[in-house]
Amino acid sequence: MNKVGLCSDHAGFALKEYIKQLLTARGLEFEDFGTHSSASCDYPDFAHPLALAVEAGEVYPGIAVCGTGNGICMTLNKHRDIRAALCWNPEIAALCRAHNDANVLVMPGRFISNEEAEKVVDTFLHTPFEGGRHQRRIDKIPIPEK
Ligand code: RB5
């Protein structure tokens, strides 16, 4: 497994710190793109650097957290090669890997417990992409060239 990339805003900071403990306990390396405190901040300032690092192959996968998960997910998915998936239970985490080959896991820090987030992270990290018809669909996600 490569180095995992992490980011959050203030609303996701506590869960991001918890995830760092989980990754360390599992012997996984990570790079934290911030934020680095619970002070109010703007999620795009941290989502864009994570997205660029995933696209460059410097980290994989990414894990991102904001309050609802939506703002940070919207920002990440502006990047052409990012497939960020908002997950709030392990079933969705499994399907976004198996069917969507998601390369960034996004969670809603204000709406998920640490215990549930742990299950989501473990499922996301260990579920392979199924390929096949799902690869064909993924290939159609980018806006076609004119
Ligand atoms: C911050 O208050 C909150 O708006 C942010 O974390 C996120 O939920 C936005 O989508």
Side-chain angles (χ1 to χ4, degrees), residues 8-12 40-41 43 65-74 108-111:
S8 77
D9 71 354
H10 55 286
S40 182
C41 61
Y43 52 79
V65 190
C66 70
T68 63
N70 275 317
I72 215 160
C73 195
M74 290 175 186
R110 286 178 171 154
F111 299 93

Side-chain angles (χ1 to χ4, degrees), residues 96-131:
C96 80
R97 285 289 313 127
H99 289 188
N100 311 119
D101 198 17
N103 53 14
V104 184
L105 164 63
V106 181
M107 287 181 288
R110 286 178 171 154
F111 299 93
I112 190 168
S113 66
N114 283 357
E115 293 70 28
E116 193 73 352
E118 180 170 356
K119 292 182 216 159
V120 168
V121 168
D122 284 333
T123 302
F124 186 89
L125 292 177
H126 293 109
T127 304
F129 177 47
E130 286 179 8

Side-chain angles (χ1 to χ4, degrees), residues 17-117:
E17 297 308 295
Y18 180 71
I19 292 166
K20 285 160 71 172
Q21 292 178 33
L22 296 179
L23 296 176
T24 299
R26 286 151 178 71
L28 297 174
E29 284 187 57
F30 58 80
E31 182 169 349
D32 185 353
F33 291 84
T35 186
H36 299 291
S37 80
S38 55
S40 182
C41 61
D42 302 332
Y43 52 79
D45 294 340
F46 310 99
H48 287 304
L50 173 63
L52 292 169
V54 171
E55 287 189 316
E58 294 163 8
V59 295
Y60 177 85
I63 301 178
V65 190
C66 70
T68 63
N70 275 317
I72 215 160
C73 195
M74 290 175 186
T75 309
L76 290 160
N77 278 318
K78 291 292 181 188
H79 292 255
R80 189 184 188 283
D81 294 329
I82 296 298
R83 289 179 302 281
L86 178 55
C87 299
W88 56 93
N89 66 40
E91 292 80 8
I92 294 170
L95 287 168
C96 80
R97 285 289 313 127
H99 289 188
N100 311 119
D101 198 17
N103 53 14
V104 184
L105 164 63
V106 181
M107 287 181 288
R110 286 178 171 154
F111 299 93
I112 190 168
S113 66
N114 283 357
E115 293 70 28
E116 193 73 352

